[in-house]
Amino acid sequence: MQIQKKIFLILALSLLLGISAGSTRVMAADGAESYNYSYWGLTTAAPAAYQANALWNGESMGAGAFKEPSDFHVTGDRQVYVLDSGHNRVVVLNDKFQPVQTISSFIRDGKEETFNNPQGLFVTDSKELVVADTGNKRIVHLDRDNKLVKIIDAPKSDMLSEKFDFQPVRVVVDKAQRIYAMSAGVYDGFMEFSPDGTFTSFVGANRVSFNPTDYLWKMLSTKAQRSQMVMFTPTEFTNLDIDQEGFIYATNGQDSGNVKKLNAQGNDILRRNGYFAPEGDIRYMSATGPSRLIDIDVGDSEIYSILDAKRGRIFTYDGDGHLLYVFGGLGNQMGQFNTPVAIERLGDEFLVLDKALGEITVFQTTEYGRTLNEAVRAYYNGDEDKAFALYQETISMNANLEFAYAGIGKALLRQGDYREAMKYFKKSMDQRGYSKAFLLYRKEVLREYFPGIMTGVVLLGIGWYGVGKYRKRRGGKKVAFIKQRAL
């Protein structure tokens, strides 16, 4: 039995290797400035939704050269907080990229303290600053006047091992003043701290992922060999952002399923109704592999964008998971980056932070990008007429955007024009939308023709009954007449 089991596993491994060798995906989008993916997974040309129109660095802003900036944040009043990690400072800019102030120290118990290689920051609606002071292994919370509110040092808990090394690298804060931190080397999810700084729990741990080939090799290996192999462990998160409703959007280092939307219980509720799950490029060279996501930014109307560090591209999706547009890339030209690490929105503009060059690239929407953004917002806000018109306008600029046909279908569905909605859902290959429109259209047809159909059925029944009675009566008279003649 053991020999048969080994033979079976070897055959399964051979089959798996054969399948994987023949399923290499080819990257067809390299070099394309703007593109999208069709229902069939093909790369299709698309107009540019965003174009770079400005490039800023510390010197051109008048704030002094940046050294390996790692994060930045845009506030509701359009101020830009840049974390200049190499110089252990936070530079605050206005929306014209002019310096407003620099935060490099704070007073604690009467003594001045500074940051040490900080890697992440977040600014609340009340302009309070929270910094992941990585080198000092703590989180620093300052008020709007840069006075110390609290410091969160390495927490003590039964959920943490004695050797736990607290190295916060990213932070966000919700409306209830709870702090969520991403700590290096932590595989259990984000660390949640109460408003007073007490560690409460882990949120949204990634599932363990493994390569089936490695798993089969482990099955075939001896106990001693297995002890030398790498353990299957959950992947770390790579970044996070929080929306106005308190949902955490996060990216991780997995090859797939690398974008999540976490509720208060830590459950992933991200909608994945697009042609492909939100994960960056779906076509790529086998030598380079899939996208490596390192940042996520959530805008209004559930529109969110993810940053691929491997190819320097920004992918933007709507709340249902449809890919809206792609822009960016690695290189030396305007609109390309060396080492992109963070993305933010400044109104309808995109900002991309380059760590190696210490630069911020500003991207402005084109007419196509503005129209598509407004179409998504109109549908999200329930303005069907406006969404219908804007999606029509979008299609006139990009007939390859199959998702827009589904947007028109949804707008028509809300307007009650189910028959016309079916046509657009069919064009977009949206089977779920088509089925819903078909069921509603069928009910509409039945309601419209039901009285006439029932009247016809009743009249047909009465007629059939009358014919039967008539035939029976005629038949009875004929029998009586025949009997009379026989007598």
Side-chain angles (χ1 to χ4, degrees):
M1 291 296 294
Q2 291 294 328
I3 294 175
Q4 290 179 352
K5 184 178 179 181
K6 295 263 185 178
I7 293 173
F8 173 77
L9 289 173
I10 291 172
L11 289 174
L13 178 61
S14 301
L15 179 62
L16 183 62
L17 289 173
I19 292 174
S20 62
S23 61
T24 302
R25 291 190 280 184
V26 178
M27 177 62 194
D30 269 336
E33 294 184 358
S34 183
Y35 58 95
N36 208 303
Y37 291 110
S38 70
Y39 172 81
W40 304 105
L42 301 176
T43 307
T44 59
Y50 278 82
Q51 291 181 338
N53 69 332
L55 183 64
W56 295 92
N57 56 39
E59 293 178 338
S60 62
M61 296 173 188
F66 292 146
K67 182 180 179 182
E68 297 186 345
S70 58
D71 198 11
F72 65 156
H73 184 92
V74 177
T75 63
D77 59 355
R78 297 175 62 87
Q79 284 193 333
V80 184
Y81 285 64
V82 182
L83 185 59
D84 188 6
S85 303
H87 291 136
N88 301 315
R89 63 175 183 166
V90 177
V91 178
V92 185
L93 312 167
N94 60 20
D95 58 355
K96 305 298 183 183
F97 296 94
Q98 299 168 336
V100 175
Q101 64 171 319
T102 299
I103 306 168
S104 57
S105 63
F106 56 92
I107 303 300
R108 182 186 187 186
D109 297 330
K111 297 181 180 179
E112 184 180 36
E113 294 195 11
T114 58
F115 304 115
N116 181 12
N117 192 30
Q119 295 296 307
L121 84 167
F122 186 86
V123 185
T124 68
D125 292 339
S126 57
K127 303 297 288 293
E128 295 186 348
L129 174 65
V130 180
V131 178
D133 193 5
T134 311
N136 288 322
K137 300 183 179 182
R138 64 185 181 180
I139 296 173
V140 178
H141 182 183
L142 306 178
D143 66 13
R144 63 183 304 135
D145 298 320
N146 302 328
K147 294 180 180 179
L148 181 65
V149 175
K150 63 176 176 286
I151 285 182
I152 301 175
D153 291 306
K156 303 294 182 182
S157 172
D158 294 337
M159 291 182 283
L160 302 170
S161 66
E162 294 181 358
K163 297 181 180 179
F164 173 69
D165 187 16
F166 186 50
Q167 298 184 55
V169 291
R170 291 290 188 272
V171 289
V172 297
V173 184
D174 66 9
K175 299 291 185 183
Q177 298 303 304
R178 290 185 293 256
I179 296 176
Y180 298 90
M182 187 181 84
S183 182
V186 173
Y187 303 97
D188 299 308
F190 298 116
M191 303 181 70
E192 179 184 326
F193 296 89
S194 63
D196 64 0
T198 303
F199 172 68
T200 55
S201 64
F202 288 104
V203 176
N206 289 310
R207 291 185 177 182
V208 176
S209 61
F210 59 89
N211 188 316
T213 305
D214 295 337
Y215 179 74
L216 283 173
W217 277 121
K218 282 202 171 187
M219 293 286 290
L220 293 168
S221 303
T222 64
K223 185 175 181 180
Q225 289 172 331
R226 286 196 295 270
S227 65
Q228 301 298 320
M229 293 182 177
V230 178
M231 296 293 292
F232 294 138
T233 57
T235 55
E236 289 183 83
F237 285 104
T238 56
N239 221 315
L240 75 164
D241 196 9
I242 192 167
D243 67 8
Q244 291 297 316
E245 297 178 351
F247 294 110
I248 295 176
Y249 287 71
T251 55
N252 59 51
Q254 297 175 176
D255 290 344
S256 61
N258 47 16
V259 181
K260 291 186 175 183
K261 179 181 180 181
L262 306 175
N263 60 15
Q265 289 74 40
N267 299 321
D268 181 15
I269 59 172
L270 186 72
R271 297 197 299 275
R272 298 175 174 87
N273 300 329
Y275 301 138
F276 304 94
E279 56 188 40
D281 274 317
I282 63 167
R283 293 177 63 88
Y284 46 80
M285 299 293 292
S286 58
T288 57
S291 298
R292 181 168 62 86
L293 307 183
I294 58 165
D295 196 14
I296 185 167
D297 177 76
V298 187
D300 63 293
S301 308
E302 294 187 337
I303 300 174
Y304 61 95
S305 302
I306 54 179
L307 173 62
D308 175 15
K310 186 173 291 185
R311 301 180 183 91
R313 293 172 181 151
I314 295 93
F315 300 81
T316 300
Y317 300 85
D318 71 355
D320 288 327
H322 292 102
L323 177 61
L324 302 181
Y325 40 77
V326 184
F327 64 93
L330 298 180
N332 300 317
Q333 299 179 2
M334 183 74 164
Q336 296 179 333
F337 326 106
N338 182 295
T339 311
V341 292
I343 52 173
E344 278 287 330
R345 281 183 176 85
L346 180 62
D348 236 6
E349 295 179 332
F350 263 104
L351 310 181
V352 181
L353 180 64
D354 192 313
K355 183 174 185 176
L357 301 179
E359 297 174 340
I360 296 176
T361 304
V362 183
F363 289 85
Q364 194 173 38
T365 55
T366 62
E367 182 182 358
Y368 171 72
R370 285 191 297 273
T371 305
L372 184 52
N373 286 341
E374 289 304 316
V376 174
R377 288 168 179 152
Y379 175 77
Y380 178 83
N381 294 323
D383 192 343
E384 293 85 6
D385 293 335
K386 184 177 180 180
F388 177 84
L390 289 171
Y391 275 126
Q392 289 279 21
E393 193 174 339
T394 301
I395 290 174
S396 67
M397 290 185 277
N398 181 17
N400 291 329
L401 190 64
E402 295 173 338
F403 142 75
Y405 293 103
I408 295 175
K410 291 176 182 178
L412 291 170
L413 199 64
R414 284 188 175 182
Q415 293 174 359
D417 192 348
Y418 307 127
R419 184 177 181 180
E420 195 68 17
M422 288 168 57
K423 297 179 182 178
Y424 283 96
F425 282 129
K426 187 175 182 179
K427 288 182 179 180
S428 67
M429 306 296 287
D430 189 336
Q431 298 177 5
R432 183 179 300 180
Y434 183 88
S435 298
K436 186 176 182 179
F438 175 77
L439 290 174
L440 292 171
Y441 178 64
R442 185 175 64 183
K443 289 180 180 179
E444 185 180 61
V445 171
L446 289 175
R447 280 197 301 267
E448 181 179 355
Y449 293 102
F450 183 77
I453 293 172
M454 287 304 300
T455 300
V457 171
V458 171
L459 292 176
L460 184 62
I462 293 173
W464 184 263
Y465 176 78
V467 170
K469 292 290 288 182
Y470 175 75
R471 287 181 175 177
K472 186 175 181 181
R473 186 173 181 182
R474 290 290 302 271
K477 287 183 178 181
K478 187 175 183 181
V479 170
F481 178 72
I482 292 173
K483 286 181 177 181
Q484 187 176 5
R485 289 187 61 182
L487 293 174

